[in-house]
Amino acid sequence: MNHLIDIKNLKNEEILEIIELAKYYEKHVPEGTQRKKQKGSVVLLFFENSTRTRFSFEMASRKLGLDVFNFEAQNSSISKGEGVFDTLNNLNAIGCDIAIIRHTKEGFIEELARKHYAYELSLVNAGEGKSSHPTQALLDFYTLTKHLGSLDGKKIVIVGDITHSRVAKSNIELLSRFGAKIVCCSPDYFKDSTLKHIKYEFDINTALKDADAVMGLRIQKERLENQIPLANYIKDYQINEKNMPKNAILMHPGPVNRDVEISSALLDTKGDVIIEQPRNGVFVRMAVLDIIFEGVQR
Ligand code: CP
């Protein structure tokens, strides 16, 4: 694996290899031991804001013994007109081995990977537009299997702004491949018409019935073209103490808008898995970086 750009580029056995290695890191991180110390440099280029993904990749890199650098676009020569491709070429020449990129434009990281320098600089997608967030899906898979075991036949309900959610797209791709029954639930204005093969429910109580896991999504105000009727959305689609199935696990990729997609009361009593997700993300990202470094060194 030289790059990680999209879940669809990973075979199931590669996904399982990442998960197995993440399990190893989960056991060994507290003692500070690693499978082996890596030598190399990682640069984080985030063109959209982030808390979890950026810190998680930074933590994962440090735990692996990698040097990690944060690229601040506004303080860089991007502000003088240099493009991302030339920036990466120069960062590679300076000695960076892996570039972890978050960007607004769908297909951008794939485009960069097709250029020649990509043989020497591995690219990792840290969330791209509304289309893909592969390491979030991998950490969600890791979290789900820890709680539910095999996902075969398990009902996973994704509630909220499906249209603008890269997390939903990558999770649907990954979890369906391992047998999960995905149900999407949102008002019509958040329905993604490209997801034709996915079961859709407009009524939240019907959607959540017998769910094994419920995944809330943030309303992505920064990507909305039109205002939405927020009070109606909260009334009809908020996950709360009344509609949340007792035995299901509650997930959310974060950041959570309290009392919008999930009620505070539910978050404060049943939000433990939501905090476990970013914790698991460190182990999963350690595994991804480790496997990429191994591939580069072979
Ligand atoms: N889940 C996620 O991508 O969160 P951040 O935007 O904080 O990285």
PDB file of all heavy atoms in Angstrom, residues 46 48-56 102 126-127 133 135-136 139-140 166-167 218 222-223 252-255 277-278 285, ligand 1:
ATOM      1  N   PHE A  46      -3.713  20.267   6.116  1.00  0.00           N
ATOM      2  CA  PHE A  46      -5.162  20.334   6.297  1.00  0.00           C
ATOM      3  C   PHE A  46      -5.674  21.653   5.727  1.00  0.00           C
ATOM      4  O   PHE A  46      -5.406  22.721   6.292  1.00  0.00           O
ATOM      5  CB  PHE A  46      -5.522  20.170   7.783  1.00  0.00           C
ATOM      6  CG  PHE A  46      -5.568  18.725   8.214  1.00  0.00           C
ATOM      7  CD1 PHE A  46      -4.455  17.904   8.088  1.00  0.00           C
ATOM      8  CD2 PHE A  46      -6.731  18.166   8.720  1.00  0.00           C
ATOM      9  CE1 PHE A  46      -4.502  16.559   8.457  1.00  0.00           C
ATOM     10  CE2 PHE A  46      -6.796  16.824   9.094  1.00  0.00           C
ATOM     11  CZ  PHE A  46      -5.674  16.025   8.960  1.00  0.00           C
ATOM     12  N   GLU A  48      -8.880  22.098   5.363  1.00  0.00           N
ATOM     13  CA  GLU A  48     -10.154  22.301   6.066  1.00  0.00           C
ATOM     14  C   GLU A  48      -9.860  22.068   7.543  1.00  0.00           C
ATOM     15  O   GLU A  48      -8.940  21.317   7.870  1.00  0.00           O
ATOM     16  CB  GLU A  48     -11.195  21.249   5.633  1.00  0.00           C
ATOM     17  CG  GLU A  48     -11.964  21.577   4.399  1.00  0.00           C
ATOM     18  CD  GLU A  48     -13.090  20.556   4.175  1.00  0.00           C
ATOM     19  OE1 GLU A  48     -13.315  19.665   5.000  1.00  0.00           O
ATOM     20  OE2 GLU A  48     -13.736  20.682   3.142  1.00  0.00           O
ATOM     21  N   ASN A  49     -10.673  22.652   8.406  1.00  0.00           N
ATOM     22  CA  ASN A  49     -10.428  22.529   9.845  1.00  0.00           C
ATOM     23  C   ASN A  49     -10.625  21.098  10.338  1.00  0.00           C
ATOM     24  O   ASN A  49     -11.381  20.319   9.751  1.00  0.00           O
ATOM     25  CB  ASN A  49     -11.367  23.455  10.623  1.00  0.00           C
ATOM     26  CG  ASN A  49     -11.072  24.909  10.320  1.00  0.00           C
ATOM     27  OD1 ASN A  49      -9.956  25.226   9.863  1.00  0.00           O
ATOM     28  ND2 ASN A  49     -12.023  25.784  10.542  1.00  0.00           N
ATOM     29  N   SER A  50      -9.970  20.798  11.430  1.00  0.00           N
ATOM     30  CA  SER A  50     -10.059  19.455  12.005  1.00  0.00           C
ATOM     31  C   SER A  50      -9.554  19.495  13.431  1.00  0.00           C
ATOM     32  O   SER A  50      -8.636  20.253  13.754  1.00  0.00           O
ATOM     33  CB  SER A  50      -9.186  18.492  11.191  1.00  0.00           C
ATOM     34  OG  SER A  50      -9.012  17.275  11.880  1.00  0.00           O
ATOM     35  N   THR A  51     -10.145  18.676  14.286  1.00  0.00           N
ATOM     36  CA  THR A  51      -9.557  18.421  15.614  1.00  0.00           C
ATOM     37  C   THR A  51      -9.126  16.960  15.684  1.00  0.00           C
ATOM     38  O   THR A  51      -7.946  16.639  15.812  1.00  0.00           O
ATOM     39  CB  THR A  51     -10.575  18.729  16.736  1.00  0.00           C
ATOM     40  OG1 THR A  51     -10.883  20.120  16.686  1.00  0.00           O
ATOM     41  CG2 THR A  51     -10.016  18.384  18.109  1.00  0.00           C
ATOM     42  N   ARG A  52     -10.109  16.041  15.566  1.00  0.00           N
ATOM     43  CA  ARG A  52      -9.837  14.625  15.754  1.00  0.00           C
ATOM     44  C   ARG A  52      -8.818  14.058  14.773  1.00  0.00           C
ATOM     45  O   ARG A  52      -7.830  13.439  15.165  1.00  0.00           O
ATOM     46  CB  ARG A  52     -11.134  13.795  15.613  1.00  0.00           C
ATOM     47  CG  ARG A  52     -12.001  13.785  16.842  1.00  0.00           C
ATOM     48  CD  ARG A  52     -13.455  13.747  16.447  1.00  0.00           C
ATOM     49  NE  ARG A  52     -13.783  15.029  15.888  1.00  0.00           N
ATOM     50  CZ  ARG A  52     -14.224  16.059  16.643  1.00  0.00           C
ATOM     51  NH1 ARG A  52     -14.463  15.872  17.897  1.00  0.00           N
ATOM     52  NH2 ARG A  52     -14.452  17.239  16.106  1.00  0.00           N
ATOM     53  N   THR A  53      -9.055  14.256  13.486  1.00  0.00           N
ATOM     54  CA  THR A  53      -8.223  13.580  12.484  1.00  0.00           C
ATOM     55  C   THR A  53      -6.784  14.105  12.533  1.00  0.00           C
ATOM     56  O   THR A  53      -5.832  13.325  12.483  1.00  0.00           O
ATOM     57  CB  THR A  53      -8.831  13.785  11.080  1.00  0.00           C
ATOM     58  OG1 THR A  53     -10.228  13.500  11.167  1.00  0.00           O
ATOM     59  CG2 THR A  53      -8.187  12.884  10.061  1.00  0.00           C
ATOM     60  N   ARG A  54      -6.641  15.409  12.653  1.00  0.00           N
ATOM     61  CA  ARG A  54      -5.292  15.982  12.627  1.00  0.00           C
ATOM     62  C   ARG A  54      -4.500  15.549  13.868  1.00  0.00           C
ATOM     63  O   ARG A  54      -3.382  15.063  13.756  1.00  0.00           O
ATOM     64  CB  ARG A  54      -5.363  17.513  12.550  1.00  0.00           C
ATOM     65  CG  ARG A  54      -4.009  18.141  12.293  1.00  0.00           C
ATOM     66  CD  ARG A  54      -4.134  19.570  11.827  1.00  0.00           C
ATOM     67  NE  ARG A  54      -4.597  20.465  12.863  1.00  0.00           N
ATOM     68  CZ  ARG A  54      -3.817  20.986  13.826  1.00  0.00           C
ATOM     69  NH1 ARG A  54      -2.540  20.678  13.873  1.00  0.00           N
ATOM     70  NH2 ARG A  54      -4.324  21.800  14.711  1.00  0.00           N
ATOM     71  N   PHE A  55      -5.111  15.675  15.051  1.00  0.00           N
ATOM     72  CA  PHE A  55      -4.386  15.291  16.272  1.00  0.00           C
ATOM     73  C   PHE A  55      -4.146  13.789  16.324  1.00  0.00           C
ATOM     74  O   PHE A  55      -3.121  13.324  16.823  1.00  0.00           O
ATOM     75  CB  PHE A  55      -5.130  15.784  17.519  1.00  0.00           C
ATOM     76  CG  PHE A  55      -4.831  17.230  17.812  1.00  0.00           C
ATOM     77  CD1 PHE A  55      -5.547  18.238  17.201  1.00  0.00           C
ATOM     78  CD2 PHE A  55      -3.792  17.577  18.665  1.00  0.00           C
ATOM     79  CE1 PHE A  55      -5.247  19.579  17.437  1.00  0.00           C
ATOM     80  CE2 PHE A  55      -3.479  18.912  18.911  1.00  0.00           C
ATOM     81  CZ  PHE A  55      -4.210  19.924  18.290  1.00  0.00           C
ATOM     82  N   SER A  56      -5.113  13.046  15.790  1.00  0.00           N
ATOM     83  CA  SER A  56      -4.990  11.596  15.807  1.00  0.00           C
ATOM     84  C   SER A  56      -3.836  11.132  14.921  1.00  0.00           C
ATOM     85  O   SER A  56      -3.024  10.275  15.316  1.00  0.00           O
ATOM     86  CB  SER A  56      -6.327  11.033  15.332  1.00  0.00           C
ATOM     87  OG  SER A  56      -6.288   9.682  15.158  1.00  0.00           O
ATOM     88  N   ARG A 102      -6.107  16.833   3.965  1.00  0.00           N
ATOM     89  CA  ARG A 102      -7.561  17.073   4.001  1.00  0.00           C
ATOM     90  C   ARG A 102      -7.828  18.211   3.023  1.00  0.00           C
ATOM     91  O   ARG A 102      -7.161  19.246   3.057  1.00  0.00           O
ATOM     92  CB  ARG A 102      -8.023  17.439   5.408  1.00  0.00           C
ATOM     93  CG  ARG A 102      -9.474  17.900   5.418  1.00  0.00           C
ATOM     94  CD  ARG A 102     -10.052  18.014   6.799  1.00  0.00           C
ATOM     95  NE  ARG A 102     -10.292  16.694   7.368  1.00  0.00           N
ATOM     96  CZ  ARG A 102     -11.012  16.475   8.464  1.00  0.00           C
ATOM     97  NH1 ARG A 102     -11.564  17.489   9.107  1.00  0.00           N
ATOM     98  NH2 ARG A 102     -11.177  15.252   8.936  1.00  0.00           N
ATOM     99  N   ALA A 126      -7.210  12.413   4.432  1.00  0.00           N
ATOM    100  CA  ALA A 126      -7.692  12.674   5.796  1.00  0.00           C
ATOM    101  C   ALA A 126      -9.077  13.325   5.762  1.00  0.00           C
ATOM    102  O   ALA A 126      -9.463  14.035   6.687  1.00  0.00           O
ATOM    103  CB  ALA A 126      -6.699  13.566   6.520  1.00  0.00           C
ATOM    104  N   GLY A 127      -9.815  13.091   4.668  1.00  0.00           N
ATOM    105  CA  GLY A 127     -11.150  13.659   4.506  1.00  0.00           C
ATOM    106  C   GLY A 127     -11.170  14.585   3.314  1.00  0.00           C
ATOM    107  O   GLY A 127     -10.446  15.580   3.285  1.00  0.00           O
ATOM    108  N   HIS A 133     -13.683   9.647   3.452  1.00  0.00           N
ATOM    109  CA  HIS A 133     -12.894   9.812   4.685  1.00  0.00           C
ATOM    110  C   HIS A 133     -12.508   8.392   5.116  1.00  0.00           C
ATOM    111  O   HIS A 133     -13.049   7.844   6.083  1.00  0.00           O
ATOM    112  CB  HIS A 133     -13.752  10.521   5.736  1.00  0.00           C
ATOM    113  CG  HIS A 133     -12.990  11.087   6.895  1.00  0.00           C
ATOM    114  ND1 HIS A 133     -11.672  10.773   7.182  1.00  0.00           N
ATOM    115  CD2 HIS A 133     -13.369  11.980   7.863  1.00  0.00           C
ATOM    116  CE1 HIS A 133     -11.288  11.427   8.262  1.00  0.00           C
ATOM    117  NE2 HIS A 133     -12.290  12.173   8.691  1.00  0.00           N
ATOM    118  N   THR A 135      -9.969   6.817   6.649  1.00  0.00           N
ATOM    119  CA  THR A 135      -9.512   6.379   7.979  1.00  0.00           C
ATOM    120  C   THR A 135     -10.627   6.498   9.025  1.00  0.00           C
ATOM    121  O   THR A 135     -10.629   5.765  10.006  1.00  0.00           O
ATOM    122  CB  THR A 135      -8.238   7.133   8.450  1.00  0.00           C
ATOM    123  OG1 THR A 135      -8.484   8.543   8.454  1.00  0.00           O
ATOM    124  CG2 THR A 135      -7.045   6.810   7.555  1.00  0.00           C
ATOM    125  N   GLN A 136     -11.596   7.406   8.801  1.00  0.00           N
ATOM    126  CA  GLN A 136     -12.752   7.459   9.703  1.00  0.00           C
ATOM    127  C   GLN A 136     -13.561   6.167   9.569  1.00  0.00           C
ATOM    128  O   GLN A 136     -13.991   5.581  10.568  1.00  0.00           O
ATOM    129  CB  GLN A 136     -13.632   8.669   9.387  1.00  0.00           C
ATOM    130  CG  GLN A 136     -14.855   8.788  10.280  1.00  0.00           C
ATOM    131  CD  GLN A 136     -14.539   9.176  11.724  1.00  0.00           C
ATOM    132  OE1 GLN A 136     -13.730  10.050  11.945  1.00  0.00           O
ATOM    133  NE2 GLN A 136     -15.173   8.528  12.687  1.00  0.00           N
ATOM    134  N   LEU A 139     -11.734   3.364  11.330  1.00  0.00           N
ATOM    135  CA  LEU A 139     -11.824   3.405  12.799  1.00  0.00           C
ATOM    136  C   LEU A 139     -13.254   3.100  13.254  1.00  0.00           C
ATOM    137  O   LEU A 139     -13.467   2.513  14.327  1.00  0.00           O
ATOM    138  CB  LEU A 139     -11.286   4.731  13.339  1.00  0.00           C
ATOM    139  CG  LEU A 139     -12.137   5.997  13.300  1.00  0.00           C
ATOM    140  CD1 LEU A 139     -13.027   6.139  14.517  1.00  0.00           C
ATOM    141  CD2 LEU A 139     -11.244   7.220  13.208  1.00  0.00           C
ATOM    142  N   ASP A 140     -14.230   3.450  12.436  1.00  0.00           N
ATOM    143  CA  ASP A 140     -15.613   3.101  12.787  1.00  0.00           C
ATOM    144  C   ASP A 140     -15.830   1.584  12.677  1.00  0.00           C
ATOM    145  O   ASP A 140     -16.488   0.979  13.524  1.00  0.00           O
ATOM    146  CB  ASP A 140     -16.594   3.856  11.876  1.00  0.00           C
ATOM    147  CG  ASP A 140     -16.675   5.339  12.238  1.00  0.00           C
ATOM    148  OD1 ASP A 140     -16.241   5.708  13.354  1.00  0.00           O
ATOM    149  OD2 ASP A 140     -17.152   6.136  11.416  1.00  0.00           O
ATOM    150  N   ARG A 166     -18.910  12.845   4.036  1.00  0.00           N
ATOM    151  CA  ARG A 166     -17.884  11.922   3.496  1.00  0.00           C
ATOM    152  C   ARG A 166     -17.783  10.688   4.390  1.00  0.00           C
ATOM    153  O   ARG A 166     -17.442   9.609   3.937  1.00  0.00           O
ATOM    154  CB  ARG A 166     -16.550  12.647   3.393  1.00  0.00           C
ATOM    155  CG  ARG A 166     -16.090  13.334   4.662  1.00  0.00           C
ATOM    156  CD  ARG A 166     -14.914  14.243   4.378  1.00  0.00           C
ATOM    157  NE  ARG A 166     -14.529  15.067   5.502  1.00  0.00           N
ATOM    158  CZ  ARG A 166     -14.065  16.307   5.377  1.00  0.00           C
ATOM    159  NH1 ARG A 166     -13.959  16.859   4.194  1.00  0.00           N
ATOM    160  NH2 ARG A 166     -13.677  16.999   6.423  1.00  0.00           N
ATOM    161  N   VAL A 167     -18.087  10.873   5.685  1.00  0.00           N
ATOM    162  CA  VAL A 167     -18.036   9.742   6.615  1.00  0.00           C
ATOM    163  C   VAL A 167     -19.082   8.703   6.219  1.00  0.00           C
ATOM    164  O   VAL A 167     -18.811   7.497   6.180  1.00  0.00           O
ATOM    165  CB  VAL A 167     -18.272  10.234   8.068  1.00  0.00           C
ATOM    166  CG1 VAL A 167     -18.364   9.071   9.032  1.00  0.00           C
ATOM    167  CG2 VAL A 167     -17.175  11.203   8.486  1.00  0.00           C
ATOM    168  N   ARG A 218     -23.299  15.179  11.657  1.00  0.00           N
ATOM    169  CA  ARG A 218     -23.429  16.632  11.841  1.00  0.00           C
ATOM    170  C   ARG A 218     -24.069  17.262  10.603  1.00  0.00           C
ATOM    171  O   ARG A 218     -23.787  16.841   9.475  1.00  0.00           O
ATOM    172  CB  ARG A 218     -22.021  17.218  12.033  1.00  0.00           C
ATOM    173  CG  ARG A 218     -21.947  18.697  12.247  1.00  0.00           C
ATOM    174  CD  ARG A 218     -20.502  19.100  12.540  1.00  0.00           C
ATOM    175  NE  ARG A 218     -19.639  18.967  11.383  1.00  0.00           N
ATOM    176  CZ  ARG A 218     -19.422  19.923  10.471  1.00  0.00           C
ATOM    177  NH1 ARG A 218     -20.052  21.084  10.578  1.00  0.00           N
ATOM    178  NH2 ARG A 218     -18.599  19.717   9.468  1.00  0.00           N
ATOM    179  N   GLU A 222     -21.342  24.521   6.648  1.00  0.00           N
ATOM    180  CA  GLU A 222     -20.381  25.129   5.715  1.00  0.00           C
ATOM    181  C   GLU A 222     -20.575  24.646   4.278  1.00  0.00           C
ATOM    182  O   GLU A 222     -20.041  25.245   3.347  1.00  0.00           O
ATOM    183  CB  GLU A 222     -18.939  24.874   6.186  1.00  0.00           C
ATOM    184  CG  GLU A 222     -18.434  23.438   6.126  1.00  0.00           C
ATOM    185  CD  GLU A 222     -18.833  22.559   7.323  1.00  0.00           C
ATOM    186  OE1 GLU A 222     -19.822  22.887   8.007  1.00  0.00           O
ATOM    187  OE2 GLU A 222     -18.157  21.532   7.534  1.00  0.00           O
ATOM    188  N   ARG A 223     -21.319  23.538   4.082  1.00  0.00           N
ATOM    189  CA  ARG A 223     -21.529  23.037   2.721  1.00  0.00           C
ATOM    190  C   ARG A 223     -22.975  23.236   2.238  1.00  0.00           C
ATOM    191  O   ARG A 223     -23.328  22.833   1.137  1.00  0.00           O
ATOM    192  CB  ARG A 223     -21.178  21.545   2.638  1.00  0.00           C
ATOM    193  CG  ARG A 223     -19.725  21.239   2.925  1.00  0.00           C
ATOM    194  CD  ARG A 223     -19.385  19.778   2.682  1.00  0.00           C
ATOM    195  NE  ARG A 223     -18.456  19.276   3.673  1.00  0.00           N
ATOM    196  CZ  ARG A 223     -17.125  19.425   3.632  1.00  0.00           C
ATOM    197  NH1 ARG A 223     -16.573  20.023   2.618  1.00  0.00           N
ATOM    198  NH2 ARG A 223     -16.359  18.956   4.591  1.00  0.00           N
ATOM    199  N   HIS A 252     -20.854   8.691  16.467  1.00  0.00           N
ATOM    200  CA  HIS A 252     -20.867   9.974  15.747  1.00  0.00           C
ATOM    201  C   HIS A 252     -19.411  10.275  15.407  1.00  0.00           C
ATOM    202  O   HIS A 252     -18.543  10.146  16.278  1.00  0.00           O
ATOM    203  CB  HIS A 252     -21.473  11.069  16.635  1.00  0.00           C
ATOM    204  CG  HIS A 252     -21.798  12.342  15.923  1.00  0.00           C
ATOM    205  ND1 HIS A 252     -20.825  13.107  15.301  1.00  0.00           N
ATOM    206  CD2 HIS A 252     -22.966  12.995  15.726  1.00  0.00           C
ATOM    207  CE1 HIS A 252     -21.396  14.176  14.752  1.00  0.00           C
ATOM    208  NE2 HIS A 252     -22.703  14.121  14.988  1.00  0.00           N
ATOM    209  N   PRO A 253     -19.096  10.681  14.186  1.00  0.00           N
ATOM    210  CA  PRO A 253     -17.684  10.935  13.861  1.00  0.00           C
ATOM    211  C   PRO A 253     -17.138  12.191  14.529  1.00  0.00           C
ATOM    212  O   PRO A 253     -15.924  12.374  14.616  1.00  0.00           O
ATOM    213  CB  PRO A 253     -17.705  11.110  12.339  1.00  0.00           C
ATOM    214  CG  PRO A 253     -19.107  11.536  12.013  1.00  0.00           C
ATOM    215  CD  PRO A 253     -19.986  10.867  13.034  1.00  0.00           C
ATOM    216  N   GLY A 254     -18.043  13.080  15.000  1.00  0.00           N
ATOM    217  CA  GLY A 254     -17.622  14.358  15.561  1.00  0.00           C
ATOM    218  C   GLY A 254     -17.267  15.330  14.443  1.00  0.00           C
ATOM    219  O   GLY A 254     -16.959  14.896  13.333  1.00  0.00           O
ATOM    220  N   PRO A 255     -17.303  16.636  14.742  1.00  0.00           N
ATOM    221  CA  PRO A 255     -17.774  17.208  15.995  1.00  0.00           C
ATOM    222  C   PRO A 255     -19.297  17.112  16.118  1.00  0.00           C
ATOM    223  O   PRO A 255     -19.999  17.210  15.110  1.00  0.00           O
ATOM    224  CB  PRO A 255     -17.335  18.668  15.891  1.00  0.00           C
ATOM    225  CG  PRO A 255     -17.243  18.951  14.420  1.00  0.00           C
ATOM    226  CD  PRO A 255     -16.876  17.671  13.773  1.00  0.00           C
ATOM    227  N   GLN A 277     -14.371   6.327  19.785  1.00  0.00           N
ATOM    228  CA  GLN A 277     -14.022   6.382  18.355  1.00  0.00           C
ATOM    229  C   GLN A 277     -12.682   7.102  18.107  1.00  0.00           C
ATOM    230  O   GLN A 277     -11.801   6.524  17.475  1.00  0.00           O
ATOM    231  CB  GLN A 277     -15.150   7.049  17.550  1.00  0.00           C
ATOM    232  CG  GLN A 277     -16.371   6.147  17.368  1.00  0.00           C
ATOM    233  CD  GLN A 277     -17.534   6.905  16.741  1.00  0.00           C
ATOM    234  OE1 GLN A 277     -18.411   7.409  17.431  1.00  0.00           O
ATOM    235  NE2 GLN A 277     -17.543   6.997  15.434  1.00  0.00           N
ATOM    236  N   PRO A 278     -12.496   8.348  18.594  1.00  0.00           N
ATOM    237  CA  PRO A 278     -11.190   8.981  18.342  1.00  0.00           C
ATOM    238  C   PRO A 278     -10.028   8.244  19.010  1.00  0.00           C
ATOM    239  O   PRO A 278      -8.906   8.253  18.500  1.00  0.00           O
ATOM    240  CB  PRO A 278     -11.360  10.396  18.905  1.00  0.00           C
ATOM    241  CG  PRO A 278     -12.598  10.385  19.714  1.00  0.00           C
ATOM    242  CD  PRO A 278     -13.451   9.273  19.223  1.00  0.00           C
ATOM    243  N   ARG A 285      -4.822   4.533  12.741  1.00  0.00           N
ATOM    244  CA  ARG A 285      -3.921   5.379  11.930  1.00  0.00           C
ATOM    245  C   ARG A 285      -2.466   4.958  12.116  1.00  0.00           C
ATOM    246  O   ARG A 285      -1.676   5.044  11.175  1.00  0.00           O
ATOM    247  CB  ARG A 285      -4.172   6.853  12.260  1.00  0.00           C
ATOM    248  CG  ARG A 285      -5.532   7.262  11.677  1.00  0.00           C
ATOM    249  CD  ARG A 285      -5.985   8.642  12.024  1.00  0.00           C
ATOM    250  NE  ARG A 285      -7.229   8.931  11.318  1.00  0.00           N
ATOM    251  CZ  ARG A 285      -8.353   9.368  11.897  1.00  0.00           C
ATOM    252  NH1 ARG A 285      -8.398   9.580  13.196  1.00  0.00           N
ATOM    253  NH2 ARG A 285      -9.428   9.596  11.163  1.00  0.00           N
TER     254      ARG A 285
HETATM  255  N1   CP B   1     -14.278  12.957  12.443  1.00  0.00           N
HETATM  256  C1   CP B   1     -13.573  14.011  11.954  1.00  0.00           C
HETATM  257  O1   CP B   1     -13.126  14.004  10.787  1.00  0.00           O
HETATM  258  O2   CP B   1     -13.403  15.044  12.839  1.00  0.00           O
HETATM  259  P1   CP B   1     -12.467  16.301  12.593  1.00  0.00           P
HETATM  260  O3   CP B   1     -13.115  17.120  11.488  1.00  0.00           O
HETATM  261  O4   CP B   1     -12.386  17.034  13.895  1.00  0.00           O
HETATM  262  O5   CP B   1     -11.125  15.791  12.122  1.00  0.00           O
END
